[in-house]
Amino acid sequence: MERCDVAILGAGAAGMMAAIEAARRGRRVVVIDHARAPGEKIRISGGGRCNFTNLSTAPERFLSRNPRFARSALSRFTPGDFIARVDRAGIGWHEKTLGQLFCDGSATQIVRMLTDEIRAAGASLRLGVEIGAVRREASFVIETSAGPLGAESLVVATGGKSVPKMGASGLGYRIAEGFGIGLVETRPALVPLTLAAAELAGTSALAGVALPVRISSARQSFDEALLFTHRGISGPAVLQISSYWREGETLVLDLAPGCDLAALLRAARAEAGRSAVHNVLARWLPERLAVFVAAQAGVAGRLADLPNAALDRLAAQVNGWHLRPLGSEGYRTAEVTLGGVDTGALDARTMAARAVSGLYFVGEVVDVTGWLGGYNFQWAWSSGWAAGQVA
């Protein structure tokens, strides 16, 4: 049986970072992945340009049963630390909105940077290798399609259940359970939400309409763009709130954040009273949406003919539209998985399992989920780096 010091399951962002760091310490490192190419989520992220981190990274922008858990790793390997590596590799980058950093060129530049660093550090990258049973004897034994591999330390970086067409599975969760480590219930996150047939009967005509909104759940609010689809609602605002929303809950949409529509409509009535109400509303909303909202509020006709009560009703529909999603589009389109390996079983500084010496969990498989916008990649870099210092 082949043996190594550190076996890393998963050649994604977290796994490759852990491999680089462990190998730089002189450890014999083998990285195994069933995929035929490393870093597939990196490659497709950010529209192919990889939103590789966020300048506003802070622990409060991550969801976990223990919201303080991510603090240690994030503070010791920061966005600035990863940016320095990107700069050394000669990769151009730019900031978009809200602290989001993207490659000027292709996301494959980030993958190449990581694989070059893996090889330079002396780690071995084994792709197209299926992972089977994992057990602990004198050391860890990983059964693979290329034969068994023995390892002193084992780093599980297998990701979550999101994007199953790329081979995502619950392997990391099964490994955790096999060693008696608890899980926090998993669910799709950063995912579009679907509407029931009754709502879709009206909103399907809005498919393709996008606008900036404020979207609120019982626990959180986001000011970002919303997109109506044939199945429901999507866009950055919806992906963000999906991590907080739960089935049966109602969301509140402000379609004109920062605008007092009641006051604006009263002013418009004085200056453009002969205009149809939906035409005036189109000053602040896309035209199709203006027509829809006016119909939903039961307000029609010339603005001059409408009493204050009708304008208030219309404004309430715009600034406080209550919408109850039916569900989400699931793991098929979810960007990440919420929940995972219980952080209560892990050391926040090293990512090591407290009860199983030599076992580590990093990245998406752990119950730490970031906001949309590069936060989850930063968690991957930080948690992988932390494990790589000691594995």
Side-chain angles (χ1 to χ4, degrees):
M1 179 172 62
E2 182 185 4
R3 295 189 178 276
C4 64
D5 295 325
V6 184
I8 297 177
L9 309 186
M16 287 194 284
M17 180 60 82
I20 292 164
E21 294 303 309
R24 284 177 175 174
R25 293 172 41 239
R27 303 283 275 168
R28 293 173 299 158
V29 178
V30 175
V31 184
I32 306 170
D33 200 299
H34 69 277
R36 300 201 172 275
E40 283 294 87
K41 269 198 170 182
I42 300 173
R43 182 183 61 80
I44 67 170
S45 69
R49 291 184 183 272
C50 188
N51 180 191
F52 57 83
T53 192
N54 195 297
L55 296 175
S56 300
T57 295
E60 59 267 21
R61 299 195 171 186
F62 293 81
L63 291 81
S64 174
R65 179 177 286 179
N66 176 6
R68 295 180 58 85
F69 180 83
R71 188 182 301 273
S72 177
L74 291 172
S75 66
R76 289 184 299 122
F77 189 85
T78 68
D81 293 320
F82 192 76
I83 292 167
R85 297 193 181 201
V86 172
D87 288 341
R88 285 197 297 271
I91 299 172
W93 55 271
H94 59 278
E95 180 181 353
K96 283 192 175 180
T97 58
L98 304 173
Q100 301 170 28
L101 303 191
F102 291 78
C103 296
D104 290 344
S106 169
T108 57
Q109 293 176 290
I110 299 293
V111 178
R112 191 178 308 116
M113 176 190 80
L114 295 167
T115 54
D116 285 349
E117 290 187 0
I118 283 175
R119 294 186 182 97
S124 175
L125 189 58
R126 313 274 177 88
L127 301 173
V129 176
E130 297 293 334
I131 300 167
V134 177
R135 63 184 185 275
R136 180 72 183 270
E137 296 177 350
S139 61
F140 293 97
V141 177
I142 305 100
E143 299 291 345
T144 80
S145 58
L149 175 67
E152 178 184 321
S153 296
L154 176 64
V155 179
V156 180
T158 50
K161 298 178 180 178
S162 57
V163 199
K165 69 179 181 181
M166 292 176 57
S169 70
L171 174 62
Y173 309 135
R174 294 194 294 273
I175 292 172
E177 289 182 313
F179 285 102
I181 296 171
L183 302 176
V184 174
E185 181 183 5
T186 58
R187 57 184 290 121
L190 301 183
V191 62
L193 299 177
T194 59
L195 298 177
E199 283 82 9
L200 281 178
T203 62
S204 60
L206 300 174
V209 172
L211 74 162
V213 304
R214 175 171 296 149
I215 189 167
S216 303
S217 70
R219 290 169 291 279
Q220 188 60 268
S221 295
F222 291 97
D223 288 358
E224 295 231 34
L226 177 143
L227 171 69
F228 289 94
T229 73
H230 289 292
R231 293 178 294 275
I233 51 176
S234 187
V238 175
L239 300 190
Q240 294 280 39
I241 209 69
S242 70
S243 296
Y244 294 88
W245 175 81
R246 294 294 179 269
E247 287 77 1
E249 293 181 352
T250 296
L251 297 174
V252 180
L253 304 181
D254 185 345
L255 304 178
C259 294
D260 182 349
L261 256 294
L264 291 170
L265 289 170
R266 282 176 170 78
R269 183 174 57 188
E271 66 184 48
R274 299 178 64 181
S275 300
V277 64
H278 64 270
N279 288 334
V280 174
L281 192 57
R283 295 180 185 181
W284 303 284
L285 303 180
E287 185 176 358
R288 273 192 285 163
L289 182 58
V291 172
F292 172 83
V293 169
Q296 286 289 104
V299 179
R302 298 192 317 165
L303 202 58
D305 298 331
L306 297 174
N308 287 343
L311 299 185
D312 291 344
R313 190 165 68 250
L314 180 57
Q317 185 69 22
V318 172
N319 290 135
W321 180 11
H322 286 68
L323 189 63
R324 179 177 293 179
L326 176 66
S328 81
E329 292 191 4
Y331 291 113
R332 180 181 63 85
T333 58
E335 295 199 12
V336 292
T337 303
L338 196 67
V341 175
D342 191 344
T343 59
L346 305 179
D347 184 308
R349 187 170 179 82
T350 64
M351 308 304 298
R354 297 181 187 278
V356 184
S357 178
L359 179 62
Y360 304 81
F361 293 87
V362 297
E364 188 182 346
V365 73
V366 179
D367 174 35
V368 175
T369 304
W371 287 6
L372 182 72
Y375 295 98
N376 288 293
F377 274 130
Q378 185 57 47
W379 170 245
W381 313 135
S382 297
S383 60
W385 179 91
Q389 305 309 303
V390 292

